[in-house]
Amino acid sequence: MKPNRTVIEAGRTEKNYWQDLWHFRELFYILSWRDVKVRYKQTVLGAAWAIIRPLLTTIIFTVVFSRVAKLPAPGSAPYAIMVFAGMLPWQFFASALSEASNSLIGNANLVSKVYFPRMIIPASSIFTSLVDFAISFLLLLCMMAFYQVMPDIKIMLLPVFILLALAAALGVGLYVTALNVKYRDVRYVIPFVVQLGLYLTPIGFSSSIVPEKWRLWYALNPMVGIVDGFRWCILNEPMNWTALAISTSVILLFLLIGIFYFRKTERGFADNI
Amino acid sequence: MSDTVIRVENLSKRFIISHEEREPYKSLRDVMVRKTKKWIGLNKQKPHLTHEEFWALKDLNFEIKQGDRVGIIGRNGAGKSTLLKILSRITEPTQGRITIDGRVASLLEVGTGFHPELTGRENIFLNGAILGMSRAEIRAKFDEIVAFAEVEKFLDTPVKRYSSGMYVRLAFAVAAHLEPEILIVDEVLAVGDAQFQKKCLGKMEDVSKNEGRTVLFVSHDLNAVHKLCSVGVLLNNGSIYYAGAINKVIESYVSHSKNISSNYVRIGTGEIQLIDIIFLNENGVELTELSTEQAVVVKMKCKANRSMKGVQFAVCFNNIHNSRITSLWTAFKGISFDVNEGIFSLIFTIDRLGLIPGDYQILSHINCGDILIEKIDNFKFITVSHAIFSIEYAVPTLSQGVYLENFHVTLE
């Protein structure tokens, strides 16, 4: 057996897929870097978009939910900070989902001309959203300084929830990406789902206002656990651990389904795209 | 046995063509509507699904030895691209097995791995990574790549401002310096000037002769294939028609092309029938291949079942993209002929052929006023090559136009 031997057979790609994925990791870095670079090139406001969008939404949500609807905030932090802490992971999830769902179609020429594990493309596009997330996170720190809110020591646990958000985006993203190659109208559904999710997820309000008997059902929305986790870390809001466990299980389930479906359909991408 | 780098065994690839959908892609909405209808029992009639199997490749078997320069030729749709796609692992075969020893890199179509917004420098790294190179490897080869591509001055310019020639040069340079054990080159040299084409051919020859690498080369340009390759594979309808020394393969391709479309369809009233169209040089010798800018005599041999008056004849040329390039129609000269029953020939004289190198389909057309007597859409194929292949002469390609004007140029 020679070192660089490749065997091509029907159904064979299964076997060395994960090995290939590791082998092509440099491609992942460079595609992520390309997406980030291209994203901020040729836009007037560039990185400012990552600030303006969540900031404006936060202001509107604060006015509507706090001033007009007069919903209570459970913690001691100002309402705006609570909204923004929820907006952060949601914005990340939403943009990762939209970026990922179009990524394969956008790179159709690559997919039909070169071999590499296709998972790299949606994964690297999700990475772009992570950069936006980092910029927005800096804004959160500025806002907290402005309102003179001291973050809790639990903020050290935030990476756990960022990872959870990443897993959620990747799971749903992979599924939707694969679906989009086959059915091109999926991309029209995504913005609608994202818009709906904005209200189904506790962003403008705290999940503590949801009646206790519905809390666990509510946690079936995976973003509920993540948003609650962010607020728990940053603002020391009370945490419903059962709800978090449910959200986490849903996320992991989605991740498994996403990977499985992506792998199943991946073989046909070059023929279908 | 040890020097076999690619072994293909019983390779087949099937495509399923579904005739149900007219749209280029399925929409989720349609599928959902259909499923729901089926579910609530509304869908009485079954959807008219007709699947047709199409074997792009059928039972291919061959071996390629290390250091071989293999030309893969065949008409459009013969399965060349599918074979390359399977070899570069883009699609999976339906049946069969390929064993490859060594790293495979494909020279991509112009700009496939490039992002127009990024600079030349950035694109070298991007393209290298797409081809499977590590950053360290690219860095080590960077200067060599830049020098080969001759783009030093434009390294920090976004490639969207590059000329198409610069684009290909850069793409080729990256792929050629990848140092793959096996390099796949698919029809890319059509772009770029003759000098660079020559340089590329030279580089490919160099990597295979001096470094023992294997090159797979697909092209319609028989001249280039002949210059570069040592062995060849001729594909026809998904199977190997002939494999062996390159001279034999090209010969077989040319003679095969001559009588390939013997199953053409004749349309029209049929009082006059085409027997053959042949090409001769000025000395009356029959040509199997034409050259751009050559003097050519086209002889159209016909048989009339009865005498007719005012008949017009045409010989037309379509290129491989099925675009009509030119027609030699007697009506353009205001001429129609009165023909007697029996066999006769029309002689069209071309002082200088304006067709650029490539494969052409020959069509014939005979009419009498508004009456179509006979029309054949796929009579035969003819290859036009370029007689002069040297540094001073650029080879005209589709990117410069479909037709070569007869011109002279002087400096005043």
Side-chain angles (χ1 to χ4, degrees):
Chain A
M1 185 97 165
K2 291 189 182 178
N4 263 327
R5 170 164 286 191
T6 317
V7 176
I8 302 173
E9 262 178 328
R12 178 80 182 204
T13 40
E14 298 292 324
K15 291 169 195 161
N16 19 31
Y17 191 77
W18 300 104
Q19 204 183 321
D20 277 353
L21 203 58
W22 173 247
H23 180 77
F24 276 92
R25 64 192 183 282
E26 297 237 350
L27 181 62
F28 168 74
Y29 306 146
I30 215 151
L31 281 180
S32 312
W33 164 84
R34 176 197 76 173
D35 287 347
V36 172
K37 182 133 193 175
V38 169
R39 187 177 169 120
Y40 295 124
K41 233 174 190 177
Q42 286 218 333
T43 52
V44 187
L45 295 173
W49 277 120
I51 294 175
I52 293 170
R53 249 193 328 178
L55 196 63
L56 280 180
T57 329
T58 302
I59 293 170
I60 293 166
F61 272 38
T62 308
V63 170
V64 171
F65 287 101
S66 172
R67 298 289 149 78
V68 180
K70 301 220 176 339
L71 293 178
S76 51
Y79 207 89
I81 299 241
M82 188 199 80
V83 170
F84 200 83
M87 189 65 71
L88 266 184
W90 174 258
Q91 203 67 253
F92 165 68
F93 177 77
S95 76
L97 194 59
S98 350
E99 293 279 332
S101 64
N102 282 323
S103 61
L104 271 182
I105 307 287
N107 287 295
N109 56 347
L110 271 190
V111 172
S112 54
K113 296 282 155 54
V114 202
Y115 169 78
F116 52 86
R118 309 309 189 197
M119 217 175 265
I120 287 177
I121 288 186
S124 69
S125 74
I126 287 175
F127 184 82
T128 322
S129 311
L130 206 58
V131 174
D132 278 358
F133 173 81
I135 296 170
S136 310
F137 188 75
L138 289 178
L139 182 65
L140 175 72
L141 294 183
C142 294
M143 274 175 74
M144 289 174 78
F146 178 78
Y147 280 106
Q148 297 185 331
V149 181
M150 256 314 267
D152 197 85
I153 184 72
K154 283 190 299 232
I155 202 165
M156 306 303 276
L157 283 173
L158 197 62
V160 176
F161 291 98
I162 296 176
L163 270 181
L164 215 53
L166 206 62
L170 191 65
V172 183
L174 284 179
Y175 187 79
V176 169
T177 310
L179 211 58
N180 200 14
V181 173
K182 210 167 169 197
Y183 309 109
R184 295 293 165 84
D185 52 351
V186 169
R187 65 182 142 179
Y188 305 121
V189 181
I190 303 291
F192 177 67
V193 170
V194 165
Q195 202 175 25
L196 215 60
L198 188 61
Y199 295 97
L200 290 177
T201 306
I203 293 165
F205 49 89
S206 159
S207 53
S208 60
I209 66 162
V210 175
E212 205 53 43
K213 56 175 176 175
W214 295 112
R215 269 304 274 284
L216 299 182
W217 289 106
Y218 191 45
L220 282 177
N221 171 356
M223 289 311 289
V224 170
I226 294 170
V227 169
D228 283 356
F230 265 69
R231 288 181 178 151
W232 177 72
C233 287
I234 300 169
L235 307 168
N236 203 12
E237 280 193 13
M239 170 67 110
N240 185 331
W241 293 102
T242 327
L244 178 65
I246 292 175
S247 290
T248 311
S249 321
V250 172
I251 289 168
L252 293 180
L253 183 71
F254 267 130
L255 188 61
L256 282 179
I257 294 176
I259 293 175
F260 179 77
Y261 183 72
F262 193 89
R263 291 288 301 115
K264 206 183 108 191
T265 46
E266 186 177 12
R267 243 172 285 164
F269 282 171
D271 299 335
N272 281 330
I273 209 157
Chain B
M1 285 305 279
S2 63
D3 60 347
T4 298
V5 285
I6 301 178
R7 177 175 299 132
V8 175
E9 293 160 279
N10 307 320
L11 185 74
S12 298
K13 170 81 180 174
R14 178 187 56 202
F15 287 105
I16 308 260
I17 309 163
S18 150
H19 292 299
E20 183 223 8
E21 301 126 24
R22 289 263 176 81
E23 317 94 288
Y25 52 82
K26 271 192 276 191
S27 90
L28 185 60
R29 189 191 60 192
D30 293 344
V31 173
M32 269 162 38
V33 167
R34 206 178 303 137
K35 289 238 163 102
T36 318
K37 273 188 180 166
K38 211 170 174 182
W39 187 58
I40 57 177
L42 258 179
N43 209 7
K44 295 267 162 54
Q45 91 246 36
K46 277 191 165 179
H48 297 286
L49 270 172
T50 49
H51 291 298
E52 193 183 311
E53 281 189 357
F54 167 67
W55 289 90
L57 292 176
K58 263 180 308 197
D59 221 18
L60 251 55
N61 284 288
F62 61 89
E63 280 184 11
I64 291 172
K65 301 247 185 296
Q66 193 192 349
D68 275 356
R69 281 155 291 143
V70 187
I72 298 175
I73 53 181
R75 299 242 321 275
N76 284 343
K80 300 181 304 260
S81 301
T82 309
L83 176 62
L84 290 195
K85 275 191 171 173
I86 294 175
L87 281 174
S88 46
R89 298 170 71 195
I90 296 159
T91 55
E92 276 196 340
T94 314
Q95 282 162 16
R97 178 189 164 92
I98 303 177
T99 320
I100 301 175
D101 286 317
R103 193 155 69 157
V104 179
S106 324
L107 178 50
L108 307 170
E109 240 168 66
V110 186
T112 300
F114 285 164
H115 196 289
E117 294 291 341
L118 301 178
T119 66
R121 181 191 306 276
E122 291 164 339
N123 268 309
I124 290 177
F125 281 92
L126 175 63
N127 206 357
I130 288 168
L131 294 173
M133 278 163 111
S134 70
R135 266 175 301 179
E137 268 179 281
I138 303 168
R139 220 169 280 136
K141 290 265 164 194
F142 190 82
D143 293 335
E144 231 176 293
I145 294 174
V146 173
F148 189 88
E150 304 163 21
V151 291
E152 293 92 339
K153 275 184 246 162
F154 309 97
L155 262 189
D156 294 305
T157 312
V159 295
K160 63 178 174 183
R161 304 201 205 291
Y162 277 29
S163 70
S164 57
M166 286 157 75
Y167 237 102
V168 205
R169 291 210 296 269
L170 195 58
F172 183 85
V174 177
H177 289 84
L178 171 58
E179 303 205 330
E181 279 82 8
I182 297 153
L183 178 66
I184 296 179
V185 184
D186 186 4
E187 201 79 71
V188 273
L189 296 179
V191 201
D193 50 34
Q195 192 175 349
F196 189 73
Q197 288 185 0
K198 208 175 165 179
K199 197 168 162 185
C200 293
L201 289 176
K203 175 77 186 174
M204 284 195 274
E205 208 169 336
D206 184 51
V207 295
S208 88
K209 269 192 190 146
N210 301 338
E211 299 167 35
R213 297 177 201 285
T214 310
V215 179
L216 267 72
F217 184 50
V218 170
S219 179
H220 279 115
D221 183 356
L222 293 180
N223 251 329
V225 172
H226 188 241
K227 272 193 159 29
L228 175 75
C229 301
S230 48
V231 291
V233 174
L234 172 59
L235 291 178
N236 181 40
N237 291 330
S239 333
I240 294 182
Y241 186 82
Y242 189 86
I246 194 67
N247 286 332
K248 287 274 162 59
V249 172
I250 290 180
E251 250 169 54
S252 148
Y253 176 60
V254 170
S255 62
H256 181 59
S257 304
K258 268 184 75 178
N259 38 29
I260 195 149
S261 42
S262 47
N263 49 352
Y264 46 78
V265 181
R266 296 172 190 262
I267 304 169
T269 56
E271 283 113 330
I272 301 176
Q273 288 189 330
L274 176 72
I275 299 170
D276 202 0
I277 296 175
I278 55 170
F279 298 89
L280 310 166
N281 70 7
E282 55 238 23
N283 304 323
V285 179
E286 187 176 345
L287 300 165
T288 54
E289 192 181 304
L290 308 181
S291 297
T292 305
E293 305 213 66
Q294 175 190 31
V296 178
V297 174
V298 184
K299 195 168 170 187
M300 187 181 185
K301 209 169 167 191
C302 301
K303 179 171 163 262
N305 295 335
R306 64 178 179 88
S307 300
M308 292 185 83
K309 283 198 159 75
V311 188
Q312 294 171 322
F313 300 83
V315 175
C316 317
F317 297 80
N318 279 12
N319 71 3
I320 54 166
H321 303 298
N322 223 18
S323 309
R324 178 69 49 86
I325 301 304
T326 188
S327 301
L328 313 173
W329 193 22
T330 55
F332 292 150
K333 297 291 175 192
I335 303 173
S336 51
F337 294 99
D338 301 339
V339 296
N340 296 322
E341 191 181 336
I343 293 174
F344 58 90
S345 289
L346 282 120
I347 310 290
F348 298 84
T349 315
I350 302 170
D351 296 333
R352 176 202 149 273
L353 189 68
L355 298 174
I356 62 167
D359 284 348
Y360 293 86
Q361 192 163 41
I362 314 287
L363 301 82
S364 74
H365 185 104
I366 306 170
N367 70 297
C368 180
D370 290 338
I371 302 161
L372 179 64
I373 297 173
E374 190 193 65
K375 180 163 101 89
I376 302 175
D377 274 344
N378 51 345
F379 187 67
K380 68 198 280 189
F381 274 86
I382 186 87
T383 303
V384 175
S385 63
H386 198 251
I388 318 155
F389 198 87
S390 80
I391 292 178
E392 293 81 34
Y393 289 83
V395 178
T397 64
L398 267 183
S399 60
Q400 283 112 23
V402 294
Y403 197 77
L404 185 63
E405 186 54 74
N406 190 13
F407 67 95
H408 301 278
V409 59
T410 50
L411 181 71
E412 278 181 9

